[in-house]
Amino acid sequence: MIIDFTGKTALVTGATRGIGKAIADTLWQSGAEVYLTGTKQKEIDALNQEVKAQGIERKHYLCVNLSNEDSLNKFLQELEKIPQIDICVNNAGINIVRDFCEVPFEEFMKVQQVNVFGPRQILNVVVPKMRAQKYGRIVNIASIWSVINRPGRSSYGISKNAIHGLTKALSIELAADNIMVNSVSPGFTMTELTKKTNTPEQLVELGNKVAARRLADPQEQANVVAFLCSEQNSYMTGQNLVVDGGYTNE
């Protein structure tokens, strides 16, 4: 199966590293014009300068901090100016690990703001564009912690269940307009952050807990998202695809 995104415009949030970067790179390499977001203005400026210096086309970096109202509003204004958005991947998210009874309400709300309310506001701008063109593909990145959970992840688990709830609600409203809306729930994935926060021994131990006996490569997550974002996905909507090497089944 060859997936061609030529002529399509995609928005991928949280796309400067990890799974988000792999998704954005895959869409771009397959022909899409991509708008990628990160939270650090200096980094975004440097990436845009690098793209320009190398003569790279169809790739644009935008800065947004979904936990900051002013930053989000400014970003939404920029989104309004983009005439066509065919694909939206809500990947940006945060996770704060803390026991349920020790989570300050402000901290809980920050996780919800970034993981749920931010994507909702983005979709409020994107969906009318998709409806007008009678075409769209939306993928919300959830987590295996939307399917199972563990201590200390109540705020994150709640947010990821909510983002799939948003997925299901939108899938019903938008299917008749040829807009497919799905969630992807990645399992343990070998991202830069995973490598940074675990020793080599811990990574091996973590991989041994997975039925596939290894962690996923970010590209393996991106491949699933790419299919869901493509025209080949013409009928699947409202689903939460768990990409975890069998972890949640053991």
Side-chain angles (χ1 to χ4, degrees):
M1 179 186 295
I2 298 175
I3 297 178
D4 185 1
F5 290 109
T6 302
K8 297 291 191 290
T9 300
L11 168 67
V12 185
T13 65
T16 58
R17 56 182 57 83
I19 293 173
K21 183 178 186 303
I23 293 169
D25 286 347
T26 299
L27 298 179
W28 177 76
Q29 289 164 2
S30 299
E33 181 164 4
V34 294
Y35 289 83
L36 323 178
T37 80
T39 59
K40 300 175 182 177
Q41 188 65 59
K42 287 185 178 180
E43 181 180 18
I44 294 301
D45 291 342
L47 287 168
N48 279 321
Q49 290 174 6
E50 180 181 330
V51 164
K52 184 177 180 181
Q54 295 181 7
I56 296 173
E57 299 179 346
R58 300 183 287 101
K59 186 177 287 188
H60 319 275
Y61 289 92
L62 301 172
C63 186
V64 61
N65 180 348
L66 296 179
S67 67
N68 181 286
E69 185 175 355
D70 290 339
S71 177
L72 177 57
N73 287 335
K74 182 180 178 181
F75 174 68
L76 295 176
Q77 290 173 8
E78 291 299 311
L79 280 190
E80 290 280 11
K81 298 175 185 177
I82 302 173
Q84 172 185 334
I85 299 178
D86 306 287
I87 297 163
C88 179
V89 181
N90 286 303
N91 171 73
I94 60 172
N95 179 16
I96 301 175
V97 179
R98 199 186 301 274
D99 184 74
F100 177 81
C101 292
E102 296 177 358
V103 178
F105 182 71
E106 294 78 11
E107 183 177 281
F108 171 79
M109 288 303 294
K110 181 178 181 179
V111 174
Q112 309 315 307
Q113 175 62 42
V114 174
N115 295 1
V116 185
F117 304 148
R120 192 270 177 194
Q121 292 296 88
I122 289 170
L123 290 172
N124 206 41
V125 174
V126 170
V127 166
K129 297 176 185 291
M130 292 182 171
R131 270 183 161 158
Q133 62 201 26
K134 294 296 182 182
Y135 181 87
R137 299 292 183 267
I138 297 168
V139 178
N140 297 314
I141 304 301
S143 168
I144 54 172
W145 309 123
S146 70
V147 180
I148 59 174
N149 219 306
R150 59 165 52 173
R153 284 165 173 76
S154 60
S155 299
Y156 188 71
I158 289 168
S159 74
K160 292 306 183 179
N161 274 279
I163 200 69
H164 182 52
L166 174 63
T167 298
K168 293 175 70 175
L170 275 182
S171 71
I172 297 299
E173 292 190 20
L174 302 180
D177 290 314
N178 191 26
I179 303 171
M180 304 292 108
V181 190
N182 292 285
S183 299
V184 169
S185 289
F188 299 117
T189 304
M190 192 70 81
T191 63
E192 297 93 327
L193 182 60
T194 303
K195 294 176 185 177
K196 184 178 179 180
T197 55
N198 292 274
T199 66
E201 292 76 19
Q202 288 172 327
L203 290 173
V204 171
E205 182 180 355
L206 193 59
N208 286 334
K209 294 179 180 179
V210 179
R213 295 298 180 263
R214 63 177 179 85
L215 276 64
D217 184 272
Q219 187 62 50
E220 293 178 295
Q221 305 292 346
N223 291 341
V224 176
V225 175
F227 165 74
L228 292 175
C229 291
S230 72
E231 293 183 351
Q232 276 87 341
N233 175 31
S234 57
Y235 205 64
M236 181 186 296
T237 194
Q239 303 305 306
N240 183 21
L241 274 67
V242 181
V243 187
D244 68 348
Y247 179 78
T248 56
N249 290 326
E250 288 200 315

